[in-house]
Amino acid sequence: MRHNYDSFDYWEELIDKNKTLRGHMFMDSLPNKDTIYIHTLVFGKNNGIDNTWSYFPDIKTLLGYIQYSFLQEAFYKWIYGKEKLIVNVPNIRVEKIISDAEKNKKLTKEEADNMRREINMIKSCWSLPKNKIFARLKKFSRDFNKTWVGDNREFLYLKIFNSPIELGDFVINSNYIIRGNEFEKVVGVTIDEWKEICKKAETDKTYGEKFRNILAKSLTDVV
């Protein structure tokens, strides 16, 4: 079936069915050679930390997710999470979230300008050939992370990986920094087992299922 990933209506319907697991919307299928991987963090003092490790079937799906789901949720929580617990993010276009917040003086001009700049960066990717979108999204993520580094009250973060091996190495390094030698306790497998799972995740069903389960259930403490 052909999907229009550059469509608010498509994502509105999909998000409505997956409100509690936005980042895992496409993880029913196992990863393959076209899969793209992500790690996102959305933190606010009133809402705690949403720490998501996930993957998407191809680059266009990820592009749509960032524009119509991730930025919608991240920017809404950045704006309103300062003052309250966010239970639900309204299904409205991120541009309206920004304009409403500006009108109600919930955003500075600099914040609003940064948000619009980043939305436009994402929108510009749709006209690119598939083989150039990944590099542009990597550039976008670097800009995004510098802009929303925030402080101990709130921050936003997005990292994109081209393969399970790249993601796996990042997990190992992150865990060493935070947890020392407790990798197996946190992830559920040894480092050598994790490397083998990442190496075979796209080609072997058993390893793909192990990889998916670890991303969905075991990495919430790895930031």
Side-chain angles (χ1 to χ4, degrees), residues 22-137:
R22 282 186 182 224
H24 295 161
M25 289 187 285
F26 292 88
M27 288 178 66
D28 287 343
S29 299
L30 295 179
N32 58 51
K33 63 181 179 60
D34 295 318
T35 302
I36 305 294
Y37 307 84
I38 66 164
H39 177 215
T40 64
L41 296 167
V42 177
F43 171 74
K45 65 176 183 178
N46 291 317
N47 292 276
I49 189 165
D50 292 331
N51 181 18
T52 302
W53 298 85
S54 185
Y55 58 78
F56 293 81
D58 56 42
I59 197 69
K60 286 289 184 77
T61 318
L62 174 59
L63 182 58
Y65 169 75
I66 292 173
Q67 180 175 339
Y68 294 102
S69 180
F70 175 70
L71 291 182
Q72 179 194 65
E73 182 176 20
F75 287 163
Y76 187 87
K77 288 184 175 179
W78 177 275
I79 295 165
Y80 297 104
K82 296 178 177 69
E83 55 193 37
K84 63 181 179 179
L85 173 67
I86 305 299
V87 178
N88 292 305
V89 175
N91 250 339
I92 56 178
R93 293 178 185 272
V94 68
E95 293 90 345
K96 180 166 173 53
I97 290 173
I98 298 166
S99 61
D100 286 350
E102 255 191 322
K103 184 169 61 178
N104 295 318
K105 302 191 184 306
K106 300 292 185 181
L107 275 179
T108 66
K109 183 180 186 305
E110 181 182 10
E111 287 173 320
D113 288 346
N114 284 335
M115 289 178 177
R116 290 193 176 99
R117 183 188 75 250
E118 284 161 353
I119 292 166
N120 289 334
M121 287 174 67
I122 290 297
K123 286 180 175 180
S124 70
C125 292
W126 290 105
S127 61
L128 298 174
K130 276 189 175 183
N131 62 353
K132 293 189 176 180
I133 295 176
F134 183 81
R136 184 69 67 87
L137 286 182

Side-chain angles (χ1 to χ4, degrees), residues 3 10 15 30 33 39 45 60 62 76 80 121 132 136 156 168 172 179 191 198 202-203 216 220-222:
H3 299 293
Y10 169 80
I15 291 167
L30 295 179
K33 63 181 179 60
H39 177 215
K45 65 176 183 178
K60 286 289 184 77
L62 174 59
Y76 187 87
Y80 297 104
M121 287 174 67
K132 293 189 176 180
R136 184 69 67 87
L156 307 174
I172 291 168
R179 293 271 185 165
I191 289 178
C198 293
E202 293 182 342
T203 57
T220 54
D221 287 336
V222 180

